[in-house]
Amino acid sequence: MRYFIPFVAILLLACGQGSTPTTPEAEEVDTVFTNKQDLISKERTSISSKPVASYREKLPDELNDWYFSVQVYETKYRFHYLMKIGYEEMRVTDTLKLPNLGIEPKLVLAKGPQPYSCRISFYDHKNQLREYKEVVFKNGKLKINVLQRYAVYNP
């Protein structure tokens, strides 16, 4: 019993040390500062049926009129959007969530650095373009990659 207590103490100290785990939650987050009074309603009063932003790239196919495309639509919630993604006859939908910066979100879709890729960005409250996600078709699969994570801090 006299060796048991020091062993437990050493074991507890050893478990508390070590490297920080590299989980997605431990990734770097870009913090945007806003004022509480600047926050706007989370719900929309009217929803447009037209895409807010879209990107389309023709695929090299002589027989078919196929495209790689990304379209973003408004939903009832101001900072949530519906993404419709297509490649040839493949169709995928996903939800895009933006941080509440106190302004109406302004989305930008632009050609990405890889073939058949689209970068999704938004303008912040200081009119600075912030890259957010990338949609890419690679190795027969459509993927959505997070380029940067954002958090809003209201002091």
Side-chain angles (χ1 to χ4, degrees), residues 52-106:
V52 174
S54 61
Y55 173 80
R56 197 166 126 156
E57 184 177 343
K58 177 88 169 110
L59 298 176
D61 189 321
E62 295 175 15
L63 301 175
N64 300 295
D65 190 27
W66 281 337
Y67 292 87
F68 166 70
S69 64
V70 180
Q71 294 179 314
V72 180
Y73 294 87
E74 291 179 345
T75 65
K76 176 183 175 182
Y77 301 101
R78 188 173 311 275
F79 303 100
H80 293 195
Y81 292 86
L82 174 66
M83 285 194 308
K84 292 184 178 182
I85 305 163
Y87 183 89
E88 292 180 352
E89 293 299 318
M90 201 180 320
R91 303 286 180 259
V92 177
T93 59
D94 198 5
T95 302
L96 175 68
K97 297 178 183 177
L98 297 179
N100 183 349
L101 301 177
I103 60 170
E104 185 68 37
K106 293 182 232 169

Side-chain angles (χ1 to χ4, degrees), residues 33 59 145 150:
F33 295 92
L59 298 176
N145 301 317
Y150 295 94

Side-chain angles (χ1 to χ4, degrees), residues 97-133:
K97 297 178 183 177
L98 297 179
N100 183 349
L101 301 177
I103 60 170
E104 185 68 37
K106 293 182 232 169
L107 287 168
V108 176
L109 273 58
K111 181 166 181 45
Q114 302 176 36
Y116 312 118
S117 65
C118 172
R119 292 270 170 113
I120 301 169
S121 306
F122 62 91
Y123 283 100
D124 67 9
H125 62 293
K126 294 181 180 178
N127 211 31
Q128 179 182 351
L129 188 65
R130 304 236 179 200
E131 286 193 333
Y132 188 36
K133 294 190 177 191

Side-chain angles (χ1 to χ4, degrees), residues 131-155:
E131 286 193 333
Y132 188 36
K133 294 190 177 191
E134 180 180 51
V135 179
V136 64
F137 180 82
K138 190 173 182 180
N139 299 327
K141 296 179 183 177
L142 281 169
K143 293 184 179 185
I144 301 172
N145 301 317
V146 176
L147 300 174
Q148 180 65 46
R149 297 182 191 279
Y150 295 94
V152 177
Y153 177 70
N154 296 313

